[in-house]
């Protein structure tokens, strides 16, 4: 299992999109991750709600972080999202990723996104391809 501090350090130490959106991990355990993103004027659409792409990015990032808890490298292969309510009138969005399946090559997560008051604004399914696996490495050496 990958060290959770290592995942957090990678999450915060990688300059780029995660920092641009001010995302952070708040909980992390095997196959599970919870994180958040503050609402700022820069991520709002012309209607004054969070741009759907930002909501989607939060879901994918938190889902991917949950998949990393197994210690393997992963990349997104498929994602879908259903927007259920406007993401506005809240100080942050909270995403929670729960593992559905972690197989030998594919990992699948349900990721729900909420306003701070618990109102669900989106639900998604995130699928990741497992690039390197301790199981594959073991097969090569054994």
């Amino acid at each position: 299992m990958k060290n959770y501090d290592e995942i957090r350090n990678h999450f915060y130490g990688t300059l780029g999109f995660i920092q641009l959106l001010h995302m952070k991990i708040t909980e992390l355990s095997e196959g599970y991750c919870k994180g958040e993103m503050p609402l700022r004027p820069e991520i709002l659409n012309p209607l004054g709600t969070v741009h759907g792409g930002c909501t989607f990015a939060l879901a994918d990032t938190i889902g991917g972080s949950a998949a990393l808890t197994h210690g393997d490298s992963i990349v997104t292969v498929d994602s879908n999202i259903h927007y259920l309510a406007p993401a506005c009138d809240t100080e942050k969005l909270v995403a929670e990723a729960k593992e559905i399946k972690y197989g030998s090559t594919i990992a699948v997560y349900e990721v729900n996104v909420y306003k701070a008051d618990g109102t669900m604004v989106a639900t998604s399914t995130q699928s990741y391809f497992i690039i390197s696996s301790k199981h594959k490495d073991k097969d090569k050496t054994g």
Side-chain angles (χ1 to χ4, degrees):
M1 177 177 306
K2 195 164 193 171
N3 182 313
Y4 298 146
D5 288 334
E6 186 179 334
I7 294 169
R8 283 189 174 93
N9 290 339
H10 179 71
F11 189 91
Y12 297 118
T14 306
L15 294 178
F17 201 57
I18 291 169
Q19 285 70 30
L20 181 68
L21 294 179
H22 297 254
M23 293 181 199
K24 69 178 184 178
I25 293 173
T26 57
E27 294 179 42
L28 194 61
S29 59
E30 187 172 325
Y32 176 85
C33 186
K34 191 172 186 179
E36 58 188 46
M37 176 179 68
L39 262 67
R40 300 178 358 264
E42 298 87 357
I43 68 169
L44 301 179
N45 65 26
L47 299 174
T49 64
V50 174
H51 189 283
C54 294
T55 303
F56 194 91
L58 177 64
D60 181 42
T61 301
I62 298 304
S65 295
L68 288 173
T69 62
H70 290 276
D72 301 319
S73 295
I74 54 96
V75 292
T76 306
V77 292
D78 186 54
S79 301
N80 70 54
I81 193 163
H82 299 279
Y83 300 98
L84 306 173
C88 58
D89 301 323
T90 186
E91 70 274 7
K92 64 185 173 183
L93 292 182
V94 177
E96 182 177 39
K98 295 179 182 176
E99 191 168 274
I100 295 172
K101 176 182 174 46
Y102 196 89
S104 60
T105 57
I106 299 292
V108 181
Y109 292 80
E110 176 185 15
V111 186
N112 295 316
V113 181
Y114 305 90
K115 293 182 357 178
D117 69 3
T119 303
M120 188 184 296
V121 297
T123 186
S124 71
T125 303
Q126 307 290 331
S127 300
Y128 304 96
F129 178 73
I130 302 165
I131 295 172
S132 64
S133 172
K134 51 192 169 252
H135 305 294
K136 291 179 191 173
D137 293 341
K138 190 175 187 179
D139 290 341
K140 289 180 186 174
T141 59

